[in-house]
């Protein structure tokens, strides 16, 4: 069964793109879509360019969690705002995006895990988030039928879920109705630079003149930046998700322990994933960025499985060009939608684990499985910043698996940055220069 968004999916927004715009947004994932939406609402003429299909890559392939729980303290206030924005935006779409307040629960098997959760709680309390610790009996009341013994849990009732492959295209519709020009199947080949600053972009459909560009290209961001001499130590890891056939509902939200994460879906099935497990395809960028990732590797040496090489056409494949002529086809046209194959052995393991953890649900039948490439950073928090070396360029990338839920909040922040307005949040943690100014690497919380 094919993933809902693929190369043969009909183009909803064919263009053509305009010749000029106040702002060009590169990348039709949740970050780019929400940035374009809030820029349009602020009165800017904005064009959103997507090389394949809106939400074709990781923005539709994630778990669908909209969580405040466990966020980096500097992300948390933006996520709290995003939680409220999701409720507003869901009322403005013309489809049901499956937005449901079901809560998120992190299940702890050890006292050390509970201690980590307890240490994070003051951040939640400082921002008015309703996170709390649960005892073993409270877990049994919340999620009946769990077969594994848990010492406790971290629970946030106000956290939500939605269906990503429905939600992000629906948000693109909201952006279009707000005045943004959305164009699919239109790759940006290069940035247009005059006098050392942004003058627009060069697309496969021609040039667009603009003094402001936002790069929200997910896994492809560092490849475009490198062509213009800007180093970004961003890598992409494969994460596999499986979807079950409809099963009885025991808990309406999302939950995870050290082996499996699950959440109820709108269609009555569950989405299953392996928490804390991902796969890195080794390529030239992986070698180049290795020194920046040593802190992360030491903290979690067994959380990543290393693959010998990236498949042809991937952003960090050995054969993917790092330089190319803007007058000819680019790597972004060679792969319209990054569609990694799921890890079938992991799908089988998820099936066994889910049946083991909730045996009362009966046999677990997998309807489909997919994978996505998560754009990650060495400290597991994104880059949201203007690029000093190239005035007019703003980057919003490296969401590190946190992007879907926080998308509306980050989109609003990026729109404010581009507009020269106060983003209402401290963005120091997300500055690009932290990878070059000697700053000590500070990992996001492992909760």
């Amino acid at each position: 069964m094919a993933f809902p968004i693929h190369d043969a999916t009909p183009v909803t927004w064919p263009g053509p793109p305009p010749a000029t715009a106040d702002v060009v947004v590169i990348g039709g994932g949740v970050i780019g879509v929400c940035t374009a939406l809030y820029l349009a609402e602020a009165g800017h003429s904005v064009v959103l360019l997507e090389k394949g299909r809106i939400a074709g890559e990781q923005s539709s392939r994630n778990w669908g969690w909209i969580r405040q729980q466990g966020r980096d303290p500097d992300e948390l206030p933006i996520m709290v705002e995003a939680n409220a924005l999701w409720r507003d935006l869901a009322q403005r779409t013309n489809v049901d995006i499956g937005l449901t307040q079901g809560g998120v629960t992190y299940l702890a098997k050890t006292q050390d895990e509970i201690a980590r959760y307890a240490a994070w709680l003051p951040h939640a309390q400082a921002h008015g988030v309703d996170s709390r610790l649960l005892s073993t009996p409270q877990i049994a009341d919340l999620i009946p039928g769990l077969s594994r013994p848990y010492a406790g849990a971290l629970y946030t009732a106000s956290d939500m879920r939605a269906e990503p492959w429905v939600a992000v295209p629906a948000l693109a519709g909201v952006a279009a109705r707000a005045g943004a020009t959305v164009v699919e199947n239109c790759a940006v080949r290069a940035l247009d630079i005059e006098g050392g600053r942004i003058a627009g972009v060069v697309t496969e459909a021609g040039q667009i003149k603009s003094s402001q560009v936002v790069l929200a290209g997910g896994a492809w961001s560092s490849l475009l930046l490198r062509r213009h001499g800007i180093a970004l130590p961003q890598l992409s890891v494969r994460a596999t998700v499986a979807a079950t056939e409809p099963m009885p509902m025991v808990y309406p939200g999302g939950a995870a322990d050290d082996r499996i994460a699950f959440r109820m879906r709108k269609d009555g099935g569950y989405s299953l994933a392996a928490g804390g497990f991902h796969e890195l395809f080794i390529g030239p960028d992986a070698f180049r960025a290795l020194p920046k990732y040593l802190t992360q590797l030491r903290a979690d040496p067994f959380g990543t499985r290393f693959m010998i090489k990236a498949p042809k056409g991937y952003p960090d494949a050995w054969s993917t060009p790092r330089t190319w002529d803007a007058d000819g086809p680019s790597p972004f046209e060679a792969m319209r939608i990054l569609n990694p194959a799921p890890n079938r052995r992991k799908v089988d393991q998820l099936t066994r684990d889910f049946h083991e953890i909730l045996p009362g649900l009966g046999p677990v039948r997998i309807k489909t499985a997919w994978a996505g490439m998560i754009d990650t950073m060495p400290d597991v928090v994104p880059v949201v910043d203007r690029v000093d070396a190239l005035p007019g360029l703003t980057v919003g990338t490296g969401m590190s698996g946190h992007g879907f839920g926080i998308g509306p909040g980050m989109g609003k922040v990026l729109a404010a940055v581009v507009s020269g307005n106060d983003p209402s949040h401290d963005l120091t943690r997300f500055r690009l220069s932290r990878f070059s100014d000697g700053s000590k690497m500070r990992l996001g919380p492992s909760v």
Side-chain angles (χ1 to χ4, degrees), residues 407-433:
M410 280 300 189
K412 196 169 185 180
V413 163
L414 283 161
V417 170
V418 171
S419 301
N421 298 328
D422 180 4
S424 303
H425 298 286
D426 184 358
L427 304 181
T428 305
R429 174 86 158 117
F430 313 122
R431 69 196 187 283
L432 175 61
S433 63

Side-chain angles (χ1 to χ4, degrees), residues 65 143 251 253-255 260-264 270-272 354 357-358:
W65 292 20
I143 312 176
Y251 170 56
I260 189 170
F262 62 91
R263 71 138 176 121
M264 198 71 189
Y270 289 85
S271 288
L272 312 179
F354 192 54
I357 194 175
L358 287 165

Side-chain angles (χ1 to χ4, degrees), residues 120-131:
W120 180 83
L121 277 177
H123 301 299
Q125 293 161 355
H127 296 286
V129 180
D130 59 341
S131 303

Side-chain angles (χ1 to χ4, degrees), residues 355-410:
H355 180 67
E356 179 188 328
I357 194 175
L358 287 165
L361 293 182
V364 179
R365 297 184 176 88
I366 299 299
K367 179 167 67 173
T368 188
W370 62 87
M373 299 300 291
I374 297 173
D375 51 314
T376 189
M377 301 303 300
D379 48 6
V380 207
V381 293
V383 170
V384 180
D385 198 6
R386 290 183 177 274
V387 179
D388 292 338
L390 199 49
L393 177 62
T394 303
V395 173
T397 194
M399 296 294 150
S400 304
H402 310 156
F404 176 68
I406 206 171
M410 280 300 189

Side-chain angles (χ1 to χ4, degrees), residues 25 48 69 93 151 179 359 395 423 435:
V25 179
L48 172 64
Q69 181 164 297
T93 64
V395 173
F435 301 115

Side-chain angles (χ1 to χ4, degrees), residues 13 18 20-23 33 35-48 92 171-183:
W13 291 283
T20 63
D22 294 338
V23 188
V33 165
T35 301
L37 165 60
Y38 291 114
L39 283 167
E41 289 191 339
H44 298 285
S45 64
V46 54
V47 57
L48 172 64
R92 299 168 57 189
L171 295 183
V174 177
R177 291 191 292 275
T181 300
V182 181
V183 187

